[in-house]
Amino acid sequence: MYVLVTYDVATGDAAGARRLRRVAKLCVQYGQRVQRSVFECLVDPAQYEILKYELIKIIDVKKDSILFYNLGKNWKPRVERIGLRETYDPEGLLLV
C-alpha cells in the first residue's frame, strides 16, 4: 500500500525540536521524503500499523499532528508530480 505521511510538530521548545527529529528519522525508515514534512511510504499493512504506533508514541497529541493518506495498491494514477524534484519509483530498484 502507498501511504502519504504528513506531520506538523510544534517546535517552540527543545522537546518539540527533539520530537520533530524523531518523527523524521522514523519516517525515513519507511519511505522517501518528498517535502520537509511529507513522506511517501510503500508499506505492507503490518508495517503501516507499526509506523502509526511508533509515531503516536513520539508526538504530543495536544501540540502536534500527523496525517496519513492511504492511496492503496493502485496509487500510480492518483499521484502526479510537477515541478523541481525529479520523480522516483518507490517500487523500483533502490541503490544504497
Side-chain angles (χ1 to χ4, degrees), residues 14-79:
R18 271 192 308 276
R19 288 193 312 275
L20 178 64
R21 285 190 302 272
R22 291 178 63 205
V23 166
K25 188 175 179 180
L26 180 64
C27 288
V28 165
Q29 295 175 26
Y30 287 88
Q32 173 72 34
R33 183 187 296 246
V34 292
Q35 291 186 355
R36 290 181 190 220
S37 297
V38 180
F39 282 81
E40 294 177 344
C41 303
L42 189 60
V43 293
D44 62 38
Q47 290 171 319
Y48 178 57
E49 292 303 319
I50 293 168
L51 174 60
K52 285 195 309 184
Y53 175 76
E54 293 296 326
L55 286 171
I56 290 168
K57 287 184 355 185
I58 294 171
I59 67 165
D60 179 339
V61 295
K62 294 180 181 177
K63 298 179 181 179
D64 310 328
S65 66
I66 299 177
L67 299 169
F68 299 92
Y69 297 92
N70 186 341
L71 299 177
K73 291 182 181 180
N74 188 23
W75 59 271
K76 286 188 179 185
R78 296 182 181 127
V79 176

